[in-house]
Every structure is written in structure tokens, then in C-alpha cells.
Amino acid sequence: MFVPVEWKLANVVPLPKQNPPRDIASDIRPISLTASLSKVLESFVSRWVLDLIDKKLDRKQFGGLLGKSTTHALIDMIHHWISALDKGKSVRLLFVDYAKAFDDVDHSTVVCKWINFDVSDFLIHWICSFLTDRQQCVKLCDFFSSWVQLSGSMPQGSLLGPLTFIVLIDDLNTDCMIHKFVDDTTLSEFTDKGQASQMDVNVTQLLNWSSNNHMNVNFKKTKDMIINTSHCNFLDKLSVSDVEIERVNVF
């Protein structure tokens, strides 16, 4: 089983994350316009795969899945935060941003995780064909760049892209609670008054997972937040490789 070469060609349209974009490297989202027939077949494959793995996925993953949304993620997070505050605990949050998450997807790592989910060989072979030998060009108004063959990555705008990333990030865990919305990850730590924060340990666990899975944390966009109680102001700020993670009051 293979995906025709013509179905693996994509016109990439650069969409600004903010208007106007200030940095072409960080403020532009590359959306891949893929063949309509490819999307139709992707919809079948996605449904077949989800039927196999849905009950095995992390229950704290709220992105790219039927019946879940940002609203569900926010309600669940706020419920746990308020419950902890009602018990006199402090809440420390780390909002993690992965740099170019879809661009850094390692195909071998993803395929191993599909296999670990007991996805049938037939579907894995199709997914491998879908991922390999992809080409893209950039479309800007009526102008097109030359074609480039990709090495790794997932096309943003495809149906299988988010699902593949959900499988990749499924086994990301630390000693504190984690909520996920595809690649957006929030760590929540609850501590009693006088208890030391262990968020640095959780960050180390996160970085170890990220390194093993070829993902890169964007420390400039990763934020630290502390909610409630007087002793929180004395908690040390987090730093990684001499880069201090910004502490914010609003996110």
C-alpha cells in the first residue's frame, strides 16, 4: 500500500500568527495545502486509527480529538487549580512551548510509537508512505518557489498531522499533572504551605523526554506562573542552560 507521489505535494501558504508579523522565523505559520483526494483518504485512515487507539490515549490530551476542545482543557485545568487553592495549597504552572513542533517530528520515533499502540501493519505501512518523500513549495499570491523535498516533519493542514503528533507526545509525563492540547503543554504543581517546589525536577524530566524524542523547547515562549499564597513570592525562578524562564502574572 502506498500514497501516490502527486498526493504528497503541498503548496505552503505562510499565514501570520499575529498582524503584522514582526519576525518571519517565529510569527509565520506554514500551512500546507494538500491534494483533496489525499484528504479524503486521510479521513478514512484517521478514523480507523482512532478506533484502535482512542481508549489508550492520555486522558489529559484535549487537542485534535472528537468531542474535546480548548474549552474542555481550560475547564479541567481551572477545576484542579481552584480545588488546590480551596485546600490551602499553592499552584505553580509552567506553560511549555515547543519550537517548530511539527517541523521537528522524527519519523522513526513516530513509527515506533504507532507500533507500540498496536496499530495494524497495513495502516503503519500506509502512514510510512504518507510521511516519506514529501515535497513542498511556497505559494505567495501568484508566485511559487522551487520544490523542496522534506526530511522529517509533518505537514500542517493535513488531517493526519495533529493525530501523529498526539501519538508522539502521548507518553510525555512528569511527576506533576500535565495537560496537553496537541503540542501545547501545561505543567501544574500543587504544594502545601512551606513545602518546596519541585518544578525544576519536572522541567528536567520534560527536557529528557524532549531530547529523546527530538523535540526542542522554546524557552523564550515558555512561561512560569505562581497562583496564590504569600510564600510563593520566595520561590526561585526556573532557569535552563543559563536561560531564565520568564515568570508572568497573566498568560
Side-chain angles (χ1 to χ4, degrees), residues 77-95:
M77 286 190 288
I78 291 172
H79 166 73
H80 285 96
W81 298 344
I82 293 177
S83 296
L85 295 175
D86 286 344
K87 296 174 184 177
K89 295 178 179 290
S90 300
V91 179
R92 186 171 194 175
L93 311 173
L94 189 70
F95 302 103

Side-chain angles (χ1 to χ4, degrees), residues 206-220:
L206 175 89
L207 293 176
N208 288 338
W209 180 92
S210 301
S211 175
N212 292 334
N213 289 272
H214 309 286
M215 300 299 299
N216 299 304
V217 176
N218 184 347
F219 295 109
K220 290 184 179 180

